[in-house]
Amino acid sequence: MATNRLEKLQDDPAVASQLQQWKIKGVHAEQGGRELFHWNADGADRPMAILSSTKSVLSALLGIAIGQGKIGGVHDPILTYLDVDDVELTDAIRDDARKKTITLEHLLTMTSGLDWPDFDKPYKELKLADNSAAFVLARPLVHEPGSAFTYNSGGSQLLAAALERAAGESLSRFARRELFRPLGIGPVRWNRLPGGQEGGTGLSLSMRDLAKLARLYLQHGEWEGRQLIPADWVSRSVQPHHKGLLNYEPQVYGSYGYHWWVSPADKQPGPDYFFAFGYGGQYLFAIPALDLTVVVRKALEGRNKAILSRRVLEDFILPAFADS
Protein backbone atom coordinates (compact mmCIF):
# COMPACT_ATOMS: atom_id res chain seq x y z
CA MET A 1 0.00 0.00 0.00
CA ALA A 2 2.84 2.40 0.86
CA THR A 3 4.42 1.63 -2.51
CA ASN A 4 1.24 2.63 -4.35
CA ARG A 5 0.90 5.81 -2.33
CA LEU A 6 4.48 6.84 -2.98
CA GLU A 7 4.18 6.05 -6.70
CA LYS A 8 1.18 8.37 -6.86
CA LEU A 9 3.13 11.06 -5.02
CA GLN A 10 6.04 10.74 -7.42
CA ASP A 11 3.72 11.30 -10.37
CA ASP A 12 1.76 14.14 -8.74
CA PRO A 13 2.65 17.52 -10.29
CA ALA A 14 1.44 19.28 -7.15
CA VAL A 15 4.05 17.41 -5.10
CA ALA A 16 6.80 18.30 -7.57
CA SER A 17 5.67 21.92 -7.45
CA GLN A 18 5.81 21.96 -3.64
CA LEU A 19 9.26 20.38 -3.60
CA GLN A 20 10.52 22.99 -6.03
CA GLN A 21 8.93 25.77 -4.01
CA TRP A 22 10.80 24.52 -0.96
CA LYS A 23 13.97 24.37 -3.09
CA ILE A 24 14.34 20.64 -2.55
CA LYS A 25 16.97 19.23 -4.91
CA GLY A 26 16.25 15.53 -4.53
CA VAL A 27 14.32 12.90 -2.58
CA HIS A 28 15.04 9.18 -2.42
CA ALA A 29 13.18 6.60 -0.32
CA GLU A 30 13.61 2.84 -0.07
CA GLN A 31 12.30 0.11 2.20
CA GLY A 32 14.25 -3.05 2.82
CA GLY A 33 16.59 -2.03 0.02
CA ARG A 34 13.73 -1.67 -2.50
CA GLU A 35 13.40 1.75 -4.09
CA LEU A 36 9.97 3.29 -3.53
CA PHE A 37 10.42 6.93 -4.46
CA HIS A 38 13.08 8.81 -6.39
CA TRP A 39 12.79 12.42 -7.49
CA ASN A 40 15.60 14.67 -8.65
CA ALA A 41 15.14 18.29 -9.64
CA ASP A 42 18.23 18.26 -11.87
CA GLY A 43 17.82 14.91 -13.62
CA ALA A 44 20.62 12.42 -12.93
CA ASP A 45 21.49 11.24 -9.42
CA ARG A 46 25.04 12.60 -9.38
CA PRO A 47 27.44 12.84 -6.43
CA MET A 48 26.74 16.05 -4.52
CA ALA A 49 28.19 17.50 -1.33
CA ILE A 50 26.62 15.90 1.73
CA LEU A 51 28.33 18.48 3.96
CA SER A 52 28.23 17.45 7.66
CA SER A 53 26.59 14.12 6.88
CA THR A 54 30.24 13.26 6.22
CA LYS A 55 30.59 12.98 10.00
CA SER A 56 28.35 9.91 10.08
CA VAL A 57 30.52 8.23 7.45
CA LEU A 58 33.58 9.08 9.55
CA SER A 59 31.88 7.49 12.56
CA ALA A 60 31.30 4.29 10.58
CA LEU A 61 34.98 4.19 9.61
CA LEU A 62 36.07 4.66 13.21
CA GLY A 63 33.87 1.74 14.19
CA ILE A 64 35.50 -0.39 11.51
CA ALA A 65 38.99 0.59 12.70
CA ILE A 66 38.11 -0.26 16.31
CA GLY A 67 36.71 -3.61 15.18
CA GLN A 68 39.97 -4.32 13.36
CA GLY A 69 42.08 -3.39 16.39
CA LYS A 70 43.69 -0.40 14.68
CA ILE A 71 42.18 1.79 17.41
CA GLY A 72 41.76 0.53 20.96
CA GLY A 73 38.43 2.09 21.88
CA VAL A 74 36.44 5.25 22.41
CA HIS A 75 37.84 5.91 25.86
CA ASP A 76 41.38 6.26 24.54
CA PRO A 77 42.76 9.82 24.65
CA ILE A 78 42.85 11.39 21.18
CA LEU A 79 46.56 12.15 21.71
CA THR A 80 47.23 8.39 21.62
CA TYR A 81 46.64 8.56 17.86
CA LEU A 82 48.19 11.92 16.99
CA ASP A 83 51.81 12.83 16.38
CA VAL A 84 53.01 13.87 19.82
CA ASP A 85 56.43 14.73 18.35
CA ASP A 86 54.77 17.51 16.35
CA VAL A 87 56.04 20.75 17.93
CA GLU A 88 52.90 22.71 16.98
CA LEU A 89 50.70 20.04 18.54
CA THR A 90 52.78 20.02 21.70
CA ASP A 91 52.49 23.80 21.94
CA ALA A 92 48.73 23.59 21.40
CA ILE A 93 48.13 21.46 24.50
CA ARG A 94 50.66 23.16 26.78
CA ASP A 95 48.19 25.72 28.15
CA ASP A 96 45.85 23.20 29.82
CA ALA A 97 46.74 19.70 31.05
CA ARG A 98 43.08 18.65 30.79
CA LYS A 99 43.42 18.59 26.99
CA LYS A 100 45.36 15.35 27.43
CA THR A 101 42.18 13.76 28.82
CA ILE A 102 40.03 14.45 25.73
CA THR A 103 38.96 11.07 24.39
CA LEU A 104 37.64 9.79 21.09
CA GLU A 105 34.21 9.55 22.70
CA HIS A 106 34.30 13.18 23.78
CA LEU A 107 34.95 14.14 20.16
CA LEU A 108 32.36 11.74 18.75
CA THR A 109 29.70 13.19 21.06
CA MET A 110 30.78 16.84 20.63
CA THR A 111 31.65 17.16 24.32
CA SER A 112 35.40 17.81 24.14
CA GLY A 113 35.09 21.08 26.08
CA LEU A 114 37.12 23.01 23.49
CA ASP A 115 35.95 26.53 22.74
CA TRP A 116 34.14 26.47 19.40
CA PRO A 117 31.63 29.30 18.86
CA ASP A 118 28.11 28.38 17.81
CA PHE A 119 27.61 26.41 14.64
CA ASP A 120 31.20 26.03 13.53
CA LYS A 121 32.30 29.64 13.19
CA PRO A 122 36.05 28.75 13.40
CA TYR A 123 35.79 26.18 10.61
CA LYS A 124 36.87 28.53 7.81
CA GLU A 125 40.06 29.27 9.73
CA LEU A 126 40.62 25.56 10.29
CA LYS A 127 40.45 24.88 6.54
CA LEU A 128 43.25 27.39 5.99
CA ALA A 129 45.48 26.07 8.78
CA ASP A 130 48.66 24.21 7.82
CA ASN A 131 48.27 22.00 10.89
CA SER A 132 44.56 21.40 11.45
CA ALA A 133 45.02 19.17 14.52
CA ALA A 134 47.15 21.80 16.25
CA PHE A 135 44.65 24.51 15.30
CA VAL A 136 41.78 22.65 16.96
CA LEU A 137 43.69 21.67 20.10
CA ALA A 138 44.99 25.22 20.51
CA ARG A 139 41.44 26.40 21.22
CA PRO A 140 40.92 27.16 24.93
CA LEU A 141 39.27 24.50 27.03
CA VAL A 142 36.11 26.17 28.38
CA HIS A 143 34.31 23.09 29.76
CA GLU A 144 35.46 19.96 31.50
CA PRO A 145 35.73 17.26 28.80
CA GLY A 146 32.49 15.26 28.69
CA SER A 147 30.34 17.87 30.45
CA ALA A 148 28.85 20.09 27.72
CA PHE A 149 27.72 19.74 24.10
CA THR A 150 29.18 22.15 21.55
CA TYR A 151 28.86 21.38 17.86
CA ASN A 152 32.46 21.24 16.66
CA SER A 153 33.64 20.07 13.25
CA GLY A 154 37.16 20.64 14.47
CA GLY A 155 36.71 17.62 16.71
CA SER A 156 35.76 15.60 13.64
CA GLN A 157 38.98 16.76 12.02
CA LEU A 158 40.95 15.42 15.00
CA LEU A 159 39.18 12.08 14.62
CA ALA A 160 39.99 11.97 10.91
CA ALA A 161 43.65 12.71 11.59
CA ALA A 162 43.75 10.04 14.29
CA LEU A 163 42.17 7.45 12.02
CA GLU A 164 44.58 8.19 9.16
CA ARG A 165 47.55 7.78 11.48
CA ALA A 166 46.18 4.60 13.06
CA ALA A 167 45.34 3.06 9.68
CA GLY A 168 48.61 4.15 8.09
CA GLU A 169 46.86 5.44 4.98
CA SER A 170 44.57 8.18 3.78
CA LEU A 171 41.02 8.22 5.06
CA SER A 172 39.64 8.04 1.52
CA ARG A 173 41.71 4.94 0.69
CA PHE A 174 40.66 3.23 3.93
CA ALA A 175 37.03 4.14 3.24
CA ARG A 176 37.18 2.90 -0.33
CA ARG A 177 38.50 -0.52 0.68
CA GLU A 178 36.56 -1.08 3.91
CA LEU A 179 33.22 0.61 3.19
CA PHE A 180 32.59 2.04 -0.26
CA ARG A 181 33.62 -0.93 -2.40
CA PRO A 182 31.77 -3.52 -0.28
CA LEU A 183 28.62 -1.38 -0.48
CA GLY A 184 29.04 -0.73 -4.20
CA ILE A 185 29.36 3.02 -3.60
CA GLY A 186 30.94 5.18 -6.28
CA PRO A 187 31.99 7.49 -7.74
CA VAL A 188 33.00 9.39 -4.62
CA ARG A 189 34.72 12.72 -4.04
CA TRP A 190 36.30 13.57 -0.70
CA ASN A 191 38.22 16.79 -0.09
CA ARG A 192 41.57 17.00 1.65
CA LEU A 193 42.93 19.76 3.85
CA PRO A 194 46.62 20.64 4.30
CA GLY A 195 46.68 18.52 7.46
CA GLY A 196 44.85 15.49 6.02
CA GLN A 197 41.46 14.32 4.83
CA GLU A 198 38.58 16.63 5.68
CA GLY A 199 36.68 14.85 8.46
CA GLY A 200 33.71 17.04 9.34
CA THR A 201 32.52 17.63 5.80
CA GLY A 202 33.91 17.37 2.26
CA LEU A 203 32.33 14.14 0.99
CA SER A 204 30.18 13.97 -2.17
CA LEU A 205 27.87 11.01 -2.84
CA SER A 206 24.79 10.28 -4.93
CA MET A 207 21.48 9.87 -3.11
CA ARG A 208 21.29 6.15 -3.86
CA ASP A 209 24.81 5.64 -2.55
CA LEU A 210 24.19 7.68 0.59
CA ALA A 211 21.06 5.61 1.27
CA LYS A 212 23.25 2.50 1.45
CA LEU A 213 24.89 3.81 4.61
CA ALA A 214 21.54 4.00 6.40
CA ARG A 215 20.60 0.58 5.00
CA LEU A 216 23.85 -0.81 6.44
CA TYR A 217 22.98 0.63 9.86
CA LEU A 218 19.44 -0.73 9.74
CA GLN A 219 21.07 -4.13 9.07
CA HIS A 220 23.26 -3.72 12.16
CA GLY A 221 26.44 -3.31 10.11
CA GLU A 222 25.94 -6.40 7.95
CA TRP A 223 25.97 -6.35 4.15
CA GLU A 224 25.46 -9.38 1.94
CA GLY A 225 26.57 -11.77 4.66
CA ARG A 226 29.63 -9.76 5.69
CA GLN A 227 29.88 -7.79 8.95
CA LEU A 228 31.36 -4.51 7.74
CA ILE A 229 30.84 -2.59 11.00
CA PRO A 230 30.63 -4.24 14.43
CA ALA A 231 26.97 -4.51 15.45
CA ASP A 232 27.65 -3.08 18.90
CA TRP A 233 29.24 0.00 17.31
CA VAL A 234 26.14 0.57 15.20
CA SER A 235 23.93 0.26 18.27
CA ARG A 236 26.00 2.64 20.39
CA SER A 237 26.38 5.15 17.56
CA VAL A 238 22.67 5.75 17.09
CA GLN A 239 21.77 5.93 20.78
CA PRO A 240 21.66 9.41 22.36
CA HIS A 241 24.76 10.12 24.43
CA HIS A 242 23.79 13.75 24.99
CA LYS A 243 20.59 15.73 24.53
CA GLY A 244 22.54 17.77 21.98
CA LEU A 245 20.18 20.19 20.22
CA LEU A 246 16.99 18.25 20.89
CA ASN A 247 15.13 21.38 21.99
CA TYR A 248 16.35 23.64 19.20
CA GLU A 249 13.58 25.39 17.26
CA PRO A 250 12.74 24.76 14.50
CA GLN A 251 13.27 21.03 15.04
CA VAL A 252 16.01 20.45 12.50
CA TYR A 253 18.35 18.63 14.89
CA GLY A 254 17.95 16.09 17.72
CA SER A 255 19.91 14.48 20.50
CA TYR A 256 23.41 13.26 19.68
CA GLY A 257 25.07 9.87 19.40
CA TYR A 258 28.44 9.08 17.83
CA HIS A 259 28.28 11.62 15.00
CA TRP A 260 24.67 10.63 14.33
CA TRP A 261 21.58 12.60 15.36
CA VAL A 262 18.70 10.85 17.13
CA SER A 263 15.07 11.97 17.02
CA PRO A 264 12.59 10.36 19.44
CA ALA A 265 8.93 9.82 18.53
CA ASP A 266 7.70 12.41 21.03
CA LYS A 267 9.53 15.13 19.10
CA GLN A 268 8.06 14.58 15.62
CA PRO A 269 5.36 12.72 13.69
CA GLY A 270 6.04 9.04 13.17
CA PRO A 271 8.32 6.59 14.99
CA ASP A 272 11.80 7.07 16.43
CA TYR A 273 14.54 7.55 13.88
CA PHE A 274 18.17 8.52 13.59
CA PHE A 275 19.78 10.61 10.90
CA ALA A 276 22.87 12.14 9.36
CA PHE A 277 22.57 15.87 8.79
CA GLY A 278 24.35 18.35 6.55
CA TYR A 279 23.98 22.12 6.68
CA GLY A 280 20.84 23.61 5.22
CA GLY A 281 18.78 20.43 4.93
CA GLN A 282 20.92 17.57 3.61
CA TYR A 283 19.41 14.60 5.45
CA LEU A 284 19.84 10.85 5.56
CA PHE A 285 17.02 9.39 7.65
CA ALA A 286 16.90 5.82 8.98
CA ILE A 287 13.57 4.69 10.47
CA PRO A 288 14.07 1.25 12.05
CA ALA A 289 10.38 0.49 12.76
CA LEU A 290 9.58 0.85 9.05
CA ASP A 291 12.90 -0.52 7.71
CA LEU A 292 12.93 2.75 5.77
CA THR A 293 15.75 4.97 4.53
CA VAL A 294 15.13 8.43 3.10
CA VAL A 295 17.55 10.94 1.58
CA VAL A 296 16.52 14.58 1.15
CA ARG A 297 18.69 17.21 -0.51
CA LYS A 298 18.04 20.93 -0.49
CA ALA A 299 19.44 24.12 -1.97
CA LEU A 300 21.26 26.13 0.69
CA GLU A 301 19.18 28.95 2.17
CA GLY A 302 20.43 29.03 5.75
CA ARG A 303 20.42 26.80 8.79
CA ASN A 304 16.75 26.99 9.78
CA LYS A 305 15.37 26.38 6.29
CA ALA A 306 16.42 22.77 6.85
CA ILE A 307 12.99 22.34 8.44
CA LEU A 308 11.58 22.14 4.90
CA SER A 309 13.60 18.98 4.28
CA ARG A 310 12.16 17.43 7.42
CA ARG A 311 8.70 18.39 6.19
CA VAL A 312 9.33 16.29 3.08
CA LEU A 313 9.74 13.28 5.33
CA GLU A 314 6.91 14.16 7.71
CA ASP A 315 4.34 15.52 5.23
CA PHE A 316 4.89 13.26 2.21
CA ILE A 317 6.90 10.10 2.97
CA LEU A 318 5.79 8.98 6.45
CA PRO A 319 2.04 9.38 5.82
CA ALA A 320 2.32 6.72 3.11
CA PHE A 321 3.16 4.27 5.90
CA ALA A 322 0.32 5.30 8.21
CA ASP A 323 -1.14 1.76 8.18
CA SER A 324 2.23 0.04 8.78
PDB file of all heavy atoms in Angstrom, residues 12 26 34 48 52 70 72 84 97 132 141 144 149 234 257-258 260 265 269 289 305 317 324:
ATOM      1  N   ASP A  12       2.687  13.036  -9.005  1.00  0.00           N
ATOM      2  CA  ASP A  12       1.762  14.142  -8.739  1.00  0.00           C
ATOM      3  C   ASP A  12       2.459  15.473  -9.011  1.00  0.00           C
ATOM      4  O   ASP A  12       3.415  15.831  -8.310  1.00  0.00           O
ATOM      5  CB  ASP A  12       1.308  14.071  -7.285  1.00  0.00           C
ATOM      6  CG  ASP A  12       0.198  15.071  -6.967  1.00  0.00           C
ATOM      7  OD1 ASP A  12       0.043  16.038  -7.732  1.00  0.00           O
ATOM      8  OD2 ASP A  12      -0.497  14.859  -5.955  1.00  0.00           O
ATOM      9  N   GLY A  26      16.428  16.954  -4.253  1.00  0.00           N
ATOM     10  CA  GLY A  26      16.247  15.529  -4.527  1.00  0.00           C
ATOM     11  C   GLY A  26      15.647  14.815  -3.335  1.00  0.00           C
ATOM     12  O   GLY A  26      15.838  15.219  -2.182  1.00  0.00           O
ATOM     13  N   ARG A  34      14.518  -1.828  -1.281  1.00  0.00           N
ATOM     14  CA  ARG A  34      13.731  -1.665  -2.501  1.00  0.00           C
ATOM     15  C   ARG A  34      13.347  -0.205  -2.683  1.00  0.00           C
ATOM     16  O   ARG A  34      12.755   0.411  -1.809  1.00  0.00           O
ATOM     17  CB  ARG A  34      12.457  -2.510  -2.407  1.00  0.00           C
ATOM     18  CG  ARG A  34      11.549  -2.391  -3.627  1.00  0.00           C
ATOM     19  CD  ARG A  34      10.224  -3.079  -3.383  1.00  0.00           C
ATOM     20  NE  ARG A  34       9.327  -2.903  -4.517  1.00  0.00           N
ATOM     21  CZ  ARG A  34       8.023  -3.132  -4.465  1.00  0.00           C
ATOM     22  NH1 ARG A  34       7.462  -3.544  -3.337  1.00  0.00           N
ATOM     23  NH2 ARG A  34       7.277  -2.942  -5.529  1.00  0.00           N
ATOM     24  N   MET A  48      26.834  14.661  -4.983  1.00  0.00           N
ATOM     25  CA  MET A  48      26.736  16.048  -4.524  1.00  0.00           C
ATOM     26  C   MET A  48      27.238  16.123  -3.093  1.00  0.00           C
ATOM     27  O   MET A  48      27.255  15.122  -2.375  1.00  0.00           O
ATOM     28  CB  MET A  48      25.290  16.550  -4.613  1.00  0.00           C
ATOM     29  CG  MET A  48      24.765  16.686  -6.034  1.00  0.00           C
ATOM     30  SD  MET A  48      23.028  17.239  -6.085  1.00  0.00           S
ATOM     31  CE  MET A  48      23.175  18.857  -5.288  1.00  0.00           C
ATOM     32  N   SER A  52      27.909  18.096   6.378  1.00  0.00           N
ATOM     33  CA  SER A  52      28.233  17.450   7.657  1.00  0.00           C
ATOM     34  C   SER A  52      27.681  16.045   7.810  1.00  0.00           C
ATOM     35  O   SER A  52      27.982  15.384   8.821  1.00  0.00           O
ATOM     36  CB  SER A  52      27.759  18.325   8.824  1.00  0.00           C
ATOM     37  OG  SER A  52      28.655  19.389   9.030  1.00  0.00           O
ATOM     38  N   LYS A  70      42.789  -1.507  15.016  1.00  0.00           N
ATOM     39  CA  LYS A  70      43.693  -0.396  14.678  1.00  0.00           C
ATOM     40  C   LYS A  70      43.587   0.722  15.705  1.00  0.00           C
ATOM     41  O   LYS A  70      44.528   1.493  15.905  1.00  0.00           O
ATOM     42  CB  LYS A  70      43.366   0.132  13.271  1.00  0.00           C
ATOM     43  CG  LYS A  70      43.727  -0.820  12.147  1.00  0.00           C
ATOM     44  CD  LYS A  70      43.414  -0.210  10.794  1.00  0.00           C
ATOM     45  CE  LYS A  70      44.000  -1.044   9.643  1.00  0.00           C
ATOM     46  NZ  LYS A  70      43.400  -2.381   9.571  1.00  0.00           N
ATOM     47  N   GLY A  72      42.132   1.315  19.792  1.00  0.00           N
ATOM     48  CA  GLY A  72      41.763   0.526  20.963  1.00  0.00           C
ATOM     49  C   GLY A  72      40.309   0.650  21.359  1.00  0.00           C
ATOM     50  O   GLY A  72      39.625  -0.348  21.582  1.00  0.00           O
ATOM     51  N   VAL A  84      52.617  13.102  18.638  1.00  0.00           N
ATOM     52  CA  VAL A  84      53.008  13.871  19.822  1.00  0.00           C
ATOM     53  C   VAL A  84      54.412  14.467  19.674  1.00  0.00           C
ATOM     54  O   VAL A  84      54.844  15.247  20.532  1.00  0.00           O
ATOM     55  CB  VAL A  84      52.929  13.006  21.102  1.00  0.00           C
ATOM     56  CG1 VAL A  84      51.482  12.662  21.430  1.00  0.00           C
ATOM     57  CG2 VAL A  84      53.769  11.745  20.964  1.00  0.00           C
ATOM     58  N   ALA A  97      46.450  21.140  30.959  1.00  0.00           N
ATOM     59  CA  ALA A  97      46.744  19.701  31.052  1.00  0.00           C
ATOM     60  C   ALA A  97      45.505  18.845  30.803  1.00  0.00           C
ATOM     61  O   ALA A  97      45.620  17.680  30.420  1.00  0.00           O
ATOM     62  CB  ALA A  97      47.331  19.379  32.428  1.00  0.00           C
ATOM     63  N   SER A 132      45.948  21.308  10.972  1.00  0.00           N
ATOM     64  CA  SER A 132      44.561  21.396  11.446  1.00  0.00           C
ATOM     65  C   SER A 132      44.403  20.826  12.855  1.00  0.00           C
ATOM     66  O   SER A 132      43.634  21.356  13.660  1.00  0.00           O
ATOM     67  CB  SER A 132      43.618  20.683  10.472  1.00  0.00           C
ATOM     68  OG  SER A 132      44.003  19.334  10.276  1.00  0.00           O
ATOM     69  N   LEU A 141      40.199  25.471  26.462  1.00  0.00           N
ATOM     70  CA  LEU A 141      39.267  24.500  27.034  1.00  0.00           C
ATOM     71  C   LEU A 141      38.335  25.266  27.973  1.00  0.00           C
ATOM     72  O   LEU A 141      38.758  25.769  29.011  1.00  0.00           O
ATOM     73  CB  LEU A 141      40.042  23.423  27.795  1.00  0.00           C
ATOM     74  CG  LEU A 141      39.307  22.126  28.079  1.00  0.00           C
ATOM     75  CD1 LEU A 141      38.953  21.401  26.777  1.00  0.00           C
ATOM     76  CD2 LEU A 141      40.153  21.210  28.946  1.00  0.00           C
ATOM     77  N   GLU A 144      34.826  21.233  31.182  1.00  0.00           N
ATOM     78  CA  GLU A 144      35.463  19.963  31.505  1.00  0.00           C
ATOM     79  C   GLU A 144      35.085  18.955  30.415  1.00  0.00           C
ATOM     80  O   GLU A 144      33.916  18.843  30.043  1.00  0.00           O
ATOM     81  CB  GLU A 144      34.977  19.462  32.860  1.00  0.00           C
ATOM     82  CG  GLU A 144      35.807  18.363  33.457  1.00  0.00           C
ATOM     83  CD  GLU A 144      37.185  18.843  33.898  1.00  0.00           C
ATOM     84  OE1 GLU A 144      37.338  20.031  34.235  1.00  0.00           O
ATOM     85  OE2 GLU A 144      38.107  18.005  33.906  1.00  0.00           O
ATOM     86  N   PHE A 149      27.796  19.946  25.551  1.00  0.00           N
ATOM     87  CA  PHE A 149      27.722  19.736  24.103  1.00  0.00           C
ATOM     88  C   PHE A 149      27.985  21.052  23.375  1.00  0.00           C
ATOM     89  O   PHE A 149      27.350  22.064  23.643  1.00  0.00           O
ATOM     90  CB  PHE A 149      26.330  19.216  23.728  1.00  0.00           C
ATOM     91  CG  PHE A 149      26.123  19.005  22.243  1.00  0.00           C
ATOM     92  CD1 PHE A 149      26.380  17.773  21.664  1.00  0.00           C
ATOM     93  CD2 PHE A 149      25.656  20.040  21.432  1.00  0.00           C
ATOM     94  CE1 PHE A 149      26.174  17.568  20.302  1.00  0.00           C
ATOM     95  CE2 PHE A 149      25.457  19.841  20.075  1.00  0.00           C
ATOM     96  CZ  PHE A 149      25.720  18.608  19.502  1.00  0.00           C
ATOM     97  N   VAL A 234      27.341   0.004  15.806  1.00  0.00           N
ATOM     98  CA  VAL A 234      26.140   0.574  15.196  1.00  0.00           C
ATOM     99  C   VAL A 234      25.131   0.943  16.278  1.00  0.00           C
ATOM    100  O   VAL A 234      24.580   2.045  16.296  1.00  0.00           O
ATOM    101  CB  VAL A 234      25.518  -0.416  14.190  1.00  0.00           C
ATOM    102  CG1 VAL A 234      24.154   0.088  13.706  1.00  0.00           C
ATOM    103  CG2 VAL A 234      26.459  -0.633  13.011  1.00  0.00           C
ATOM    104  N   GLY A 257      24.383  11.126  19.146  1.00  0.00           N
ATOM    105  CA  GLY A 257      25.068   9.868  19.397  1.00  0.00           C
ATOM    106  C   GLY A 257      26.535   9.990  19.057  1.00  0.00           C
ATOM    107  O   GLY A 257      27.207  10.948  19.452  1.00  0.00           O
ATOM    108  N   TYR A 258      27.059   9.020  18.310  1.00  0.00           N
ATOM    109  CA  TYR A 258      28.442   9.077  17.835  1.00  0.00           C
ATOM    110  C   TYR A 258      28.437   9.631  16.407  1.00  0.00           C
ATOM    111  O   TYR A 258      28.478   8.894  15.427  1.00  0.00           O
ATOM    112  CB  TYR A 258      29.063   7.678  17.828  1.00  0.00           C
ATOM    113  CG  TYR A 258      29.456   7.121  19.177  1.00  0.00           C
ATOM    114  CD1 TYR A 258      29.893   5.807  19.291  1.00  0.00           C
ATOM    115  CD2 TYR A 258      29.417   7.892  20.337  1.00  0.00           C
ATOM    116  CE1 TYR A 258      30.269   5.268  20.511  1.00  0.00           C
ATOM    117  CE2 TYR A 258      29.785   7.362  21.568  1.00  0.00           C
ATOM    118  CZ  TYR A 258      30.206   6.052  21.648  1.00  0.00           C
ATOM    119  OH  TYR A 258      30.577   5.506  22.858  1.00  0.00           O
ATOM    120  N   TRP A 260      26.006  10.795  14.888  1.00  0.00           N
ATOM    121  CA  TRP A 260      24.666  10.627  14.328  1.00  0.00           C
ATOM    122  C   TRP A 260      23.702  11.396  15.227  1.00  0.00           C
ATOM    123  O   TRP A 260      23.885  11.464  16.449  1.00  0.00           O
ATOM    124  CB  TRP A 260      24.239   9.153  14.320  1.00  0.00           C
ATOM    125  CG  TRP A 260      24.894   8.295  13.271  1.00  0.00           C
ATOM    126  CD1 TRP A 260      26.072   7.617  13.381  1.00  0.00           C
ATOM    127  CD2 TRP A 260      24.384   8.002  11.959  1.00  0.00           C
ATOM    128  NE1 TRP A 260      26.338   6.922  12.225  1.00  0.00           N
ATOM    129  CE2 TRP A 260      25.315   7.132  11.334  1.00  0.00           C
ATOM    130  CE3 TRP A 260      23.233   8.375  11.254  1.00  0.00           C
ATOM    131  CZ2 TRP A 260      25.133   6.641  10.043  1.00  0.00           C
ATOM    132  CZ3 TRP A 260      23.052   7.889   9.965  1.00  0.00           C
ATOM    133  CH2 TRP A 260      23.990   7.029   9.373  1.00  0.00           C
ATOM    134  N   ALA A 265      10.290   9.702  19.062  1.00  0.00           N
ATOM    135  CA  ALA A 265       8.933   9.824  18.526  1.00  0.00           C
ATOM    136  C   ALA A 265       8.147  10.966  19.160  1.00  0.00           C
ATOM    137  O   ALA A 265       7.245  11.523  18.524  1.00  0.00           O
ATOM    138  CB  ALA A 265       8.186   8.506  18.701  1.00  0.00           C
ATOM    139  N   PRO A 269       6.304  13.754  14.139  1.00  0.00           N
ATOM    140  CA  PRO A 269       5.357  12.721  13.688  1.00  0.00           C
ATOM    141  C   PRO A 269       6.099  11.438  13.333  1.00  0.00           C
ATOM    142  O   PRO A 269       7.241  11.471  12.884  1.00  0.00           O
ATOM    143  CB  PRO A 269       4.733  13.352  12.431  1.00  0.00           C
ATOM    144  CG  PRO A 269       5.022  14.806  12.523  1.00  0.00           C
ATOM    145  CD  PRO A 269       6.304  14.936  13.276  1.00  0.00           C
ATOM    146  N   ALA A 289      11.682   1.151  12.658  1.00  0.00           N
ATOM    147  CA  ALA A 289      10.382   0.490  12.764  1.00  0.00           C
ATOM    148  C   ALA A 289       9.754   0.224  11.403  1.00  0.00           C
ATOM    149  O   ALA A 289       8.945  -0.700  11.256  1.00  0.00           O
ATOM    150  CB  ALA A 289       9.440   1.329  13.622  1.00  0.00           C
ATOM    151  N   LYS A 305      16.178  26.844   7.410  1.00  0.00           N
ATOM    152  CA  LYS A 305      15.366  26.379   6.286  1.00  0.00           C
ATOM    153  C   LYS A 305      15.443  24.862   6.124  1.00  0.00           C
ATOM    154  O   LYS A 305      14.693  24.271   5.350  1.00  0.00           O
ATOM    155  CB  LYS A 305      15.808  27.065   4.995  1.00  0.00           C
ATOM    156  CG  LYS A 305      15.421  28.542   4.906  1.00  0.00           C
ATOM    157  CD  LYS A 305      13.926  28.707   4.724  1.00  0.00           C
ATOM    158  CE  LYS A 305      13.583  30.167   4.489  1.00  0.00           C
ATOM    159  NZ  LYS A 305      12.125  30.360   4.245  1.00  0.00           N
ATOM    160  N   ILE A 317       6.421  11.493   2.953  1.00  0.00           N
ATOM    161  CA  ILE A 317       6.896  10.104   2.973  1.00  0.00           C
ATOM    162  C   ILE A 317       6.222   9.295   4.088  1.00  0.00           C
ATOM    163  O   ILE A 317       5.620   8.256   3.844  1.00  0.00           O
ATOM    164  CB  ILE A 317       8.426  10.052   3.114  1.00  0.00           C
ATOM    165  CG1 ILE A 317       9.108  10.846   1.988  1.00  0.00           C
ATOM    166  CG2 ILE A 317       8.891   8.580   3.105  1.00  0.00           C
ATOM    167  CD1 ILE A 317       8.861  10.332   0.599  1.00  0.00           C
ATOM    168  N   SER A 324       1.190   1.054   8.511  1.00  0.00           N
ATOM    169  CA  SER A 324       2.227   0.039   8.777  1.00  0.00           C
ATOM    170  C   SER A 324       2.410  -0.168  10.275  1.00  0.00           C
ATOM    171  O   SER A 324       2.202   0.729  11.066  1.00  0.00           O
ATOM    172  CB  SER A 324       3.556   0.484   8.161  1.00  0.00           C
ATOM    173  OG  SER A 324       3.429   0.627   6.767  1.00  0.00           O
TER     174      SER A 324
END
